[in-house]
Amino acid sequence: MINKEVNSIEDAIKGVDNKMTFMLGGFGLCGIPENAIKALSESGINGLTCISNNAGVDDFGLGLLLHKKQIKKMISSYVGENAEFERQMLSGELEVDLIPQGSLAERCRAGGAGIPAFFTPAGYGTEVAEGKEVREFNGQPHILESALEADFAFVKAWKGDTAGNLIYKGTARNFNPMMAMAGKITVAEVEHLFPAGELDPASIHTPGIFVQRIFQGKDYEKRIEQRTVRTKE
Amino acid sequence: MINKEVNSIEDAIKGVDNKMTFMLGGFGLCGIPENAIKALSESGINGLTCISNNAGVDDFGLGLLLHKKQIKKMISSYVGENAEFERQMLSGELEVDLIPQGSLAERCRAGGAGIPAFFTPAGYGTEVAEGKEVREFNGQPHILESALEADFAFVKAWKGDTAGNLIYKGTARNFNPMMAMAGKITVAEVEHLFPAGELDPASIHTPGIFVQRIFQGKDYEKRIEQRTVRTKE
Amino acid sequence: MALDKIGIAKRIAQELKDGYYVNLGIGIPTLVANYIPEGINVEFQSENGVLGMGPFPFEGEEDADLINAGKQTITTLEGAVFFDSATSFSMIRGKHVQLTVLGAMEVSEQGDIANWKIPGKMVKGMGGAMDLVASADNIIVAMMHTNKRGESKLLKKCSLPLTGVACVKKIVTNLAVLEVVAKGFKLLERAPGVTLEDIQNATEGKLIIEGDIPEMVL
Amino acid sequence: MALDKIGIAKRIAQELKDGYYVNLGIGIPTLVANYIPEGINVEFQSENGVLGMGPFPFEGEEDADLINAGKQTITTLEGAVFFDSATSFSMIRGKHVQLTVLGAMEVSEQGDIANWKIPGKMVKGMGGAMDLVASADNIIVAMMHTNKRGESKLLKKCSLPLTGVACVKKIVTNLAVLEVVAKGFKLLERAPGVTLEDIQNATEGKLIIEGDIPEMVL
């Protein structure tokens, strides 16, 4: 077994630097790598390109990095929850590349899977298609999208083992598995870290081969953006 | 919950016809849809195109259909275990399209995922690349491969539920999940069928949305091709 | 009388067919799940990675790891399954989801839709909408017939950046049910008490009225 | 004395580095797993869908649902994981597997390899070999230096249909260890007791001999 465990957050983010490209898992605030984001925020590095479906909220998630202006460019599909983000974008301080959510997921997977490019119908006839090759398949126009890769991918799982195998909970899975595949160095933080051999080999979502470093995170806030409930009748 | 259960093998294969294209899961004899293959063999339909990583052995798996000359064309990656196959191929009775295993898997996934084509380095400079578009990415030549789809996909899982959700055992997973995605009608046979709600939603390998019909198979032989063992010292 | 949001959701719910997998967008579309016709089994897919979505949780039972694409806390039903975003959009792009219901800022008589950006003012992003509209065979737009300034949202041509082209099949508004056909918006039904004139006045694009137009039955 | 298959496997095992994920082909390559150097942790990937492959099972403990790419019954080690074929080749194509060891019928001095077809005679198929050789940065060929008719398998140019072009980095045969460089096969080591002349006679492609060529240490 190849041991991927690191013992501190410092070791986990070792090697991160200005101007690097990062992928960060999560959908909204669900399944985001809270510990890594906090450490990156405290590291003070800047000029970053961040690939993440969303950009957090003003005071949490990637909002922490935005607030300190560490991010030069965001690659996302939806950024509607973040006023500071919108301000920086409309003022031109922040470069933003908005990508259809399915294309974003597939481009990350492609990056990890050695597929340099693929055709998808998403975005044909829109701004997203500008400058991209268009080709018809079965009478329907498609555009050519390219793979995304990152210097570091930061992902968050529920359970993990020292071999780097990951299991996500509920919808906290989202982009984490594809980003884990696409990072040159993938750093996984988990709520519960087990010795290798304790997780069911058939129930693992991210095989350890995609993970270079793993650690047990702490103090998870796991904020809820839209608390919607019903009352018992 | 949308109920996918059918109560007989006849209902399971209803609609199969001459000259159709089928996908069949399995790697060697591991994870093959034994019940469906037997029923297809007995149905007498012919002129079939079968997409399957392997072609069974002489008297089992797809060998049953080959023996009765029901297959017009095989699309596979490796067919080395089957003398009748080799005879039909070298004599020209059987058309054969050999595809790199990774491209075969990815082409099935693409068919199910609405990706009509993608670039891969596999096969560049070989017979496989003949007639295909070549393009360089990062200085390395890649070829354009297209999606595969099928009129029916026959897959085999270990556990399933009436919503069509599937869980595979060990390496019997192999091509089954991608083929389940790529079948216009996907027929799943399982060793154990449960009511919906009994399987862990986080541990399902094939979501039920990809499965149109499910039934509990019987009399599984699960033959082993290469029984390799060591002796206790 | 024009419909409210719940009325629109109720009318769209009538479009559900037994065995459908359905993706509901944020806003009015989300409400559709509350009005599934009797005897119809459908499953709701949320593109963030769940199939078999149930109602909101009871108070105190919310789980931060269990949300829908609108970031709302949810529950799951029997037979539910979780998956990653790439698998989720494989379901969508691969046409395994039979019906998509989403909101719009504008729809054109060609079936184009705009719902993700107002240049210089608002850029929330397209989220999964571009994938959904480019792939689904069956797309219903749920929206008010006019915007807050009283301007028609059913146009000859969209003025905002597009989300997708020639993709919208049906539109359910507070005033009417319309089908997008080759020559324009074909009026299928009126909201109760709404006149043809009301609808015509609120529709900038070409409105096609053939024969008697029945009132919706809700 | 020329090496036997076990000797070739032992020599290749010396190429394993700590932390490597390794894919071993059918035949001699499979034997490499038996000779992992002390203190080195590696994991074996089999392209049919398992990482963390262990030794063959004890008699009576074989599981038909647990095989390697050679269709042999296997076991798994702690930390093992199962996955589907698309994920498996994502690992391979995406260069997550650091070393591939496979057999060959022919290798050319350009690093081309042929191992899947003899026109008109034998067509077993390429299996996963084309994906493996097109993607891996580090490919070692394990084979006999000559074929059954005594003809060299290290050629100026392959005569058989190719599996991949310019991909082989290193070759370990019963006679020698060779590196594929710009100008030909660079001889790195001799099998114990094998002379330079023996190797030269068995090599049709350009053999590059620079300085003293040490004997292998097994």
Side-chain angles (χ1 to χ4, degrees):
Chain A
M1 196 268 303
I2 302 169
N3 195 334
K4 309 290 179 73
E5 188 180 3
V6 292
N7 291 313
S8 70
I9 184 71
E10 291 73 28
D11 286 346
I13 69 163
K14 195 173 171 182
V16 298
D17 208 344
N18 297 337
K19 300 186 183 175
M20 278 187 166
T21 296
F22 295 160
M23 285 183 183
L24 300 108
F27 186 99
L29 301 180
C30 181
I32 61 171
E34 294 187 17
N35 282 248
I37 289 172
K38 190 154 170 281
L40 291 173
S41 164
E42 288 165 2
S43 76
I45 55 168
N46 57 47
L48 303 173
T49 295
C50 289
I51 304 171
S52 172
N53 188 55
N54 312 85
V57 294
D58 280 332
D59 64 342
F60 199 59
L62 281 181
L64 297 174
L65 275 66
L66 281 167
H67 189 73
K68 296 172 80 172
K69 303 194 177 163
Q70 295 175 272
I71 302 177
K72 179 172 157 270
K73 181 177 182 180
M74 280 294 311
I75 299 177
S76 302
S77 90
Y78 190 83
V79 293
E81 293 90 357
N82 194 316
E84 172 66 10
F85 181 98
E86 204 159 2
R87 194 196 63 70
Q88 288 188 23
M89 178 174 53
L90 292 173
S91 74
E93 291 166 66
L94 182 68
E95 286 175 55
V96 179
D97 191 1
L98 289 167
I99 295 180
Q101 193 174 130
S103 297
L104 179 60
E106 191 69 14
R107 290 175 69 180
C108 291
R109 178 189 179 274
I115 303 284
F118 60 89
F119 285 96
T120 174
Y124 169 74
T126 77
E127 286 181 11
V128 166
E130 281 170 22
K132 289 175 185 162
E133 179 179 338
V134 174
R135 196 180 295 195
E136 277 203 9
F137 294 91
N138 304 316
Q140 208 197 346
H142 290 69
I143 62 176
L144 187 66
E145 291 281 11
S146 60
L148 289 170
E149 290 177 82
D151 296 305
F152 278 81
F154 298 99
V155 301
K156 191 264 178 177
W158 182 39
K159 296 177 181 176
D161 69 20
T162 50
N165 295 309
L166 304 177
I167 293 176
Y168 308 94
K169 188 165 164 238
T171 57
R173 194 180 319 180
N174 55 65
F175 283 84
N176 284 296
M178 283 77 64
M179 290 181 171
M181 292 169 71
K184 285 195 194 79
I185 296 175
T186 291
V187 179
E189 57 182 88
V190 298
E191 291 181 57
H192 307 283
L193 183 61
F194 296 89
E198 303 237 335
L199 302 180
D200 172 11
S203 299
I204 285 161
H205 301 133
T206 291
I209 190 172
F210 295 126
V211 173
Q212 279 66 50
R213 304 174 190 170
I214 191 167
F215 69 100
Q216 185 163 311
K218 58 184 179 184
D219 302 331
Y220 283 103
E221 286 190 43
K222 295 174 74 164
R223 288 199 203 169
I224 291 174
E225 278 181 87
Q226 304 286 339
R227 189 177 303 272
T228 47
V229 296
R230 59 191 159 135
T231 40
K232 283 182 180 155
E233 279 149 25
Chain B
M1 195 269 301
I2 302 169
N3 194 333
K4 310 291 178 72
E5 187 180 3
V6 292
N7 291 311
S8 69
I9 184 70
E10 290 73 28
D11 286 346
I13 69 163
K14 197 174 169 180
V16 299
D17 209 345
N18 297 337
K19 300 186 183 173
M20 279 187 166
T21 296
F22 295 161
M23 285 183 183
L24 300 107
F27 186 99
L29 301 180
C30 181
I32 60 171
E34 294 187 17
N35 281 248
I37 289 171
K38 191 152 169 282
L40 291 172
S41 163
E42 287 166 2
S43 76
I45 56 168
N46 56 48
L48 303 173
T49 295
C50 289
I51 303 171
S52 172
N53 188 56
N54 311 87
V57 294
D58 281 332
D59 64 341
F60 199 59
L62 281 182
L64 297 175
L65 274 67
L66 280 168
H67 188 74
K68 294 171 80 172
K69 303 195 176 162
Q70 295 175 273
I71 302 177
K72 180 172 155 270
K73 181 177 180 178
M74 279 294 311
I75 299 177
S76 302
S77 90
Y78 190 83
V79 292
E81 293 90 356
N82 194 316
E84 173 65 11
F85 182 99
E86 205 159 1
R87 194 195 63 68
Q88 288 188 23
M89 177 174 53
L90 292 174
S91 74
E93 289 165 67
L94 182 69
E95 287 176 54
V96 179
D97 192 1
L98 289 168
I99 295 180
Q101 195 174 129
S103 298
L104 179 60
E106 192 68 14
R107 291 176 69 179
C108 292
R109 178 189 181 274
I115 304 285
F118 59 89
F119 285 96
T120 175
Y124 169 74
T126 76
E127 284 182 12
V128 165
E130 282 170 21
K132 288 175 186 162
E133 180 180 337
V134 174
R135 197 181 295 195
E136 276 203 11
F137 295 90
N138 305 317
Q140 208 198 344
H142 290 70
I143 61 175
L144 186 67
E145 291 280 10
S146 60
L148 288 170
E149 289 177 82
D151 297 305
F152 278 82
F154 298 99
V155 302
K156 192 265 178 175
W158 182 39
K159 296 176 180 178
D161 69 20
T162 50
N165 295 309
L166 304 177
I167 293 176
Y168 308 93
K169 187 164 165 238
T171 56
R173 193 179 321 180
N174 53 64
F175 283 83
N176 284 296
M178 284 76 65
M179 291 182 171
M181 293 169 70
K184 285 196 194 78
I185 296 175
T186 291
V187 179
E189 58 183 87
V190 298
E191 290 181 57
H192 307 283
L193 183 61
F194 296 90
E198 304 236 336
L199 303 180
D200 172 11
S203 300
I204 285 161
H205 300 132
T206 292
I209 192 172
F210 296 125
V211 173
Q212 279 66 50
R213 303 174 190 170
I214 191 168
F215 69 99
Q216 184 164 312
K218 58 184 180 184
D219 302 331
Y220 283 102
E221 286 191 43
K222 297 174 73 163
R223 286 200 204 169
I224 291 174
E225 278 181 85
Q226 303 285 340
R227 188 177 302 271
T228 46
V229 296
R230 59 192 160 136
T231 40
K232 283 183 179 155
E233 278 151 25
Chain C
M1 205 185 70
L3 302 179
D4 59 4
K5 289 181 179 183
I6 288 174
I8 295 174
K10 281 185 178 169
R11 177 56 191 84
I12 289 174
Q14 295 175 6
E15 303 287 318
L16 300 174
K17 293 209 174 76
D18 194 40
Y20 265 13
Y21 290 93
V22 183
N23 183 292
L24 300 177
I26 299 170
I28 301 174
T30 302
L31 301 172
V32 172
N34 300 329
Y35 305 102
I36 308 169
E38 290 251 347
I40 296 280
N41 285 307
V42 297
E43 274 190 51
F44 294 107
Q45 196 252 21
S46 195
E47 65 266 27
N48 60 316
V50 56
L51 197 66
M53 223 187 327
F56 296 139
F58 290 118
E59 198 159 349
E61 294 177 5
E62 315 91 271
D63 180 350
D65 291 324
L66 188 46
I67 64 170
N68 65 16
K71 282 100 180 177
Q72 297 170 311
T73 44
I74 56 161
T75 60
T76 55
L77 302 175
E78 287 187 349
V81 51
F82 300 116
F83 37 84
D84 63 47
S85 302
T87 304
S88 183
F89 283 91
S90 293
M91 296 174 184
I92 290 166
R93 224 189 291 101
K95 298 181 190 290
H96 304 280
V97 173
Q98 278 89 7
L99 174 63
T100 287
V101 183
L102 80 173
M105 300 194 286
E106 297 178 347
V107 178
S108 82
E109 59 188 48
Q110 295 82 34
D112 299 349
I113 176 172
N115 73 351
W116 72 283
K117 184 177 184 181
I118 304 174
K121 279 192 185 164
M122 184 282 289
V123 190
K124 294 195 183 301
M126 66 292 284
M130 282 194 185
D131 308 272
L132 282 158
V133 301
S135 303
D137 283 329
N138 199 353
I139 295 169
I140 300 178
V141 165
M143 66 177 189
M144 293 296 153
H145 213 101
T146 52
N147 65 22
K148 284 172 188 167
R149 294 182 302 281
E151 299 158 345
S152 179
K153 296 171 74 173
L154 288 86
L155 307 174
K156 284 191 193 311
K157 213 168 173 320
C158 292
S159 68
L160 296 171
L162 295 182
T163 306
V165 295
C167 52
V168 176
K169 300 292 184 290
K170 200 173 256 190
I171 306 162
V172 180
T173 75
N174 52 326
L175 302 183
V177 179
L178 308 103
E179 191 184 349
V180 179
V181 297
K183 293 180 179 171
F185 300 109
K186 185 178 174 186
L187 186 60
L188 298 182
E189 297 174 24
R190 297 171 291 119
V194 169
T195 66
L196 294 181
E197 202 183 352
D198 294 336
I199 298 166
Q200 182 66 74
N201 288 340
T203 307
E204 192 231 59
K206 182 168 174 60
L207 186 69
I208 300 168
I209 303 172
E210 291 176 356
D212 266 358
I213 306 299
E215 274 194 5
M216 298 178 199
V217 180
L218 291 176
Chain D
M1 203 186 68
L3 301 180
D4 59 5
K5 290 180 178 184
I6 289 175
I8 295 173
K10 281 185 179 170
R11 178 57 192 82
I12 289 174
Q14 295 174 6
E15 303 287 318
L16 300 175
K17 293 211 174 77
D18 195 38
Y20 265 13
Y21 291 92
V22 183
N23 183 292
L24 301 177
I26 299 170
I28 301 175
T30 302
L31 301 173
V32 172
N34 299 330
Y35 305 103
I36 308 169
E38 290 251 347
I40 295 280
N41 284 308
V42 296
E43 274 190 50
F44 294 107
Q45 196 251 20
S46 194
E47 65 266 28
N48 60 316
V50 57
L51 196 66
M53 223 188 326
F56 296 138
F58 289 118
E59 197 156 352
E61 294 177 6
E62 315 91 272
D63 181 348
D65 291 324
L66 188 45
I67 64 169
N68 65 15
K71 282 101 181 177
Q72 296 171 312
T73 45
I74 56 160
T75 59
T76 56
L77 302 175
E78 286 186 350
V81 52
F82 300 117
F83 37 85
D84 63 46
S85 302
T87 304
S88 183
F89 283 91
S90 293
M91 297 174 184
I92 290 166
R93 224 189 290 101
K95 299 182 188 291
H96 304 280
V97 173
Q98 278 90 7
L99 175 63
T100 288
V101 183
L102 78 174
M105 299 193 287
E106 297 179 349
V107 178
S108 82
E109 60 189 48
Q110 295 82 34
D112 298 349
I113 176 173
N115 73 350
W116 71 285
K117 184 178 182 178
I118 304 174
K121 279 193 186 162
M122 184 282 288
V123 191
K124 294 195 183 301
M126 67 292 284
M130 281 193 185
D131 308 271
L132 282 159
V133 300
S135 303
D137 282 330
N138 199 352
I139 296 169
I140 300 179
V141 165
M143 65 177 190
M144 293 295 154
H145 214 100
T146 52
N147 66 20
K148 284 172 188 167
R149 291 181 304 280
E151 298 157 346
S152 179
K153 295 170 75 174
L154 289 86
L155 306 173
K156 285 191 193 308
K157 213 169 173 319
C158 292
S159 67
L160 296 171
L162 295 182
T163 307
V165 295
C167 53
V168 176
K169 300 291 183 292
K170 200 173 257 192
I171 306 162
V172 179
T173 75
N174 53 325
L175 303 182
V177 179
L178 308 103
E179 191 185 349
V180 178
V181 297
K183 294 181 177 170
F185 301 108
K186 184 177 174 187
L187 186 60
L188 299 182
E189 296 174 25
R190 295 171 292 118
V194 168
T195 68
L196 294 180
E197 201 184 352
D198 294 336
I199 297 166
Q200 184 65 74
N201 288 341
T203 307
E204 191 233 59
K206 182 168 175 57
L207 187 67
I208 300 168
I209 303 172
E210 292 177 356
D212 264 359
I213 307 298
E215 273 195 5
M216 298 177 200
V217 180
L218 291 178

